[in-house]
Amino acid sequence: MLNLKTISAALVAGAAFASAQCTIPTEPLSDDIPSHFRIQVQNASRPEVHNKYMNLFEAGGGDQHLFIGPVGEPTYDFTLVDGVVFNVRKNIRLVIGGEWSEIDHTTKLFSTSRGDPDAIFQPTYACNPDTGLLQVELRFIQWEGEPLGGHICVRHSFDGSHEFRYNPPGNTLIDVNRECIKVTLVVLPTVGGPSTTLSTVTVSSTSSSSSVAPPTTSTSTTTSTAPTSTSTSGVLPYTDMTHLGWRYIGCAPEERWTTDGAFRTLSGALLGSDTMTNEACMAFCGANGWAYAGTEWRRECWCGNSYAPTRQPLTTLASLNKCDYRCSGNSAQFCGGDAWLSLYAKCPASGPCENAVFT
Ligand SMILES: *[C@@H]1O[C@H](CO)[C@@H](O)[C@H](O)[C@H]1NC(C)=O
């Protein structure tokens, strides 16, 4: 176990010896760091990302996406357990999966409590490129279950931020419009940083990393295939809810299918259930006064009062197939698709309540 004292002592020792180049201690570092730290990003030749920090950004469904500023919440309480980065306060750990990019073959690095494969790191001593002082880096070892190697990179995203991604070993593809910049992740012990609610590490990585991923939305995988729509000869694949005062306005994309940023199409409230139906969703959103309700991935219900123009529901007949997953609580109903939302709007108290016309 590498504790905070060890790191701090090593850093101080390194500082004392350091001039331009530090002295690397010979003893290997453990892959556990139970004391809290921040993660700093370094690439001295890329000032737009150099020395910035990994922030957490609420992404819906309990996931936290990873950004460097200005997006996200600064985070001081990461720990490392068996090479996996945890945040106990938010009950999440760093994983890789989803949003595979066809252009540069990178995949999203994000954080979740679900069973996605871990990002595995090994703490390693190195010298800070600016100061020459000793630092502890998180060397990327592998995406769990994938070949060893590859590296973590950051790619320009919305609002001037960068998102974290995984670049596979041997990959030379570059997206010229948004290059994924290779970065070093550095452990900064957070002595005297903002206080946190938990001071001990209680997470066992073996149990969480071996669990099976439940069906989820945008971030779990990009390779899943939608269930084939059963023939609905003449019957539209959406569930009519006008009798309950909600009209179907179409099948709307989540972030995976857009380039406008990492946010949910409806971000007000979320209910997940293995007995999800459109009635249950509309009752949930309606009871809380939301103007829009949407079902997704069989078992999720999202509520909100607006959606971005870039997330307009589609109204072509063909688009209905994207929202043809059967509801977990009623196989006669449709509850969205893989990062597609069956989107409903609350009808005015008086006046017509009509579904969109699909052409
Ligand atoms: C900085 O980023 C560039 C572009 O990804 C990469 O070629 C270079 O190796 C990186 N430098 C370091 C020190 O990671």
Side-chain angles (χ1 to χ4, degrees):
M1 283 277 193
L2 174 72
N3 61 32
L4 182 61
K5 280 209 183 73
T6 316
I7 295 184
S8 302
L11 293 176
V12 169
F17 301 139
S19 52
Q21 194 64 30
C22 65
T23 307
I24 306 283
T26 47
E27 90 262 19
L29 286 169
S30 147
D31 61 3
D32 290 297
I33 305 178
S35 53
H36 290 170
F37 58 86
R38 290 189 89 175
I39 295 179
Q40 188 181 49
V41 168
Q42 293 177 356
N43 183 326
S45 56
R46 302 301 292 261
E48 70 270 37
V49 301
H50 187 52
N51 289 341
K52 294 191 173 176
Y53 298 94
M54 178 184 283
N55 292 345
L56 294 177
F57 180 74
E58 181 77 52
D63 292 354
Q64 297 278 329
H65 287 185
L66 308 173
F67 287 92
I68 55 180
V71 164
E73 173 202 346
T75 301
Y76 302 86
D77 51 352
F78 286 118
T79 60
L80 192 74
V81 182
D82 289 346
V84 179
V85 176
F86 277 88
N87 185 283
V88 178
R89 184 170 48 93
K90 293 193 182 287
N91 185 32
I92 48 170
R93 60 186 212 293
L94 262 54
V95 301
I96 297 169
E99 295 180 27
W100 181 75
S101 166
E102 196 163 358
I103 299 174
D104 65 4
H105 289 192
T106 61
T107 306
K108 197 176 187 77
L109 173 76
F110 68 106
S111 62
T112 188
S113 60
R114 293 185 275 104
D116 304 68
D118 296 329
I120 301 168
F121 298 92
Q122 172 62 51
T124 313
Y125 287 116
C127 300
N128 182 295
D130 303 326
T131 63
L133 299 183
L134 189 67
Q135 65 183 13
V136 174
E137 301 178 354
L138 293 176
R139 287 281 161 82
F140 182 72
I141 301 299
Q142 75 182 123
W143 180 7
E144 184 187 8
E146 299 289 321
L148 284 173
H151 64 255
I152 301 302
C153 57
V154 294
R155 189 172 83 174
H156 188 258
S157 184
F158 66 101
D159 286 352
S161 67
H162 286 74
E163 60 165 350
F164 287 78
R165 303 186 65 81
Y166 157 83
N167 190 59
N171 181 35
T172 53
L173 297 171
I174 292 175
D175 181 344
V176 290
N177 293 315
R178 41 178 190 171
E179 180 194 0
C180 204
I181 303 166
K182 182 182 181 189
V183 288
T184 303
L185 303 181
V186 179
V187 171
L188 291 191
T190 48
V191 205
S195 61
T196 54
T197 51
L198 282 168
S199 55
T200 50
V201 177
T202 53
V203 180
S204 146
S205 69
T206 27
S207 61
S208 48
S209 60
S210 60
S211 61
V212 175
T216 55
T217 53
S218 61
T219 44
S220 64
T221 169
T222 52
T223 53
S224 63
T225 327
T228 346
S229 179
T230 48
S231 167
T232 47
S233 51
V235 182
L236 291 177
Y238 70 81
T239 310
D240 179 21
M241 299 295 292
T242 52
H243 61 291
L244 291 179
W246 292 83
R247 59 195 191 89
Y248 187 64
I249 58 174
C251 184
E254 289 285 7
E255 65 184 68
R256 193 194 306 166
W257 313 113
T258 62
T259 53
D260 54 354
F263 59 89
R264 304 306 300 226
T265 300
L266 294 183
S267 57
L270 166 65
L271 174 69
S273 164
D274 289 330
T275 55
M276 184 57 65
T277 60
N278 284 293
E279 284 87 350
C281 180
M282 267 126 270
F284 171 70
C285 294
N288 294 293
W290 298 102
Y292 295 96
T295 47
E296 184 175 330
W297 193 272
R298 302 184 186 89
R299 64 181 309 281
E300 293 176 342
C301 169
W302 295 84
C303 317
N305 281 331
S306 62
Y307 52 84
T310 45
R311 305 290 175 91
Q312 284 291 342
L314 305 178
T315 54
T316 61
L317 277 173
S319 71
L320 288 167
N321 291 335
K322 299 182 187 304
C323 282
D324 66 353
Y325 282 25
R326 304 294 173 147
C327 301
S328 56
N330 181 349
S331 61
Q333 294 190 3
F334 297 95
C335 279
D338 185 9
W340 289 95
L341 198 59
S342 291
L343 188 57
Y344 292 82
K346 184 105 184 82
C347 296
S350 60
C353 191
E354 285 165 11
N355 297 317
V357 176
F358 295 87
T359 53

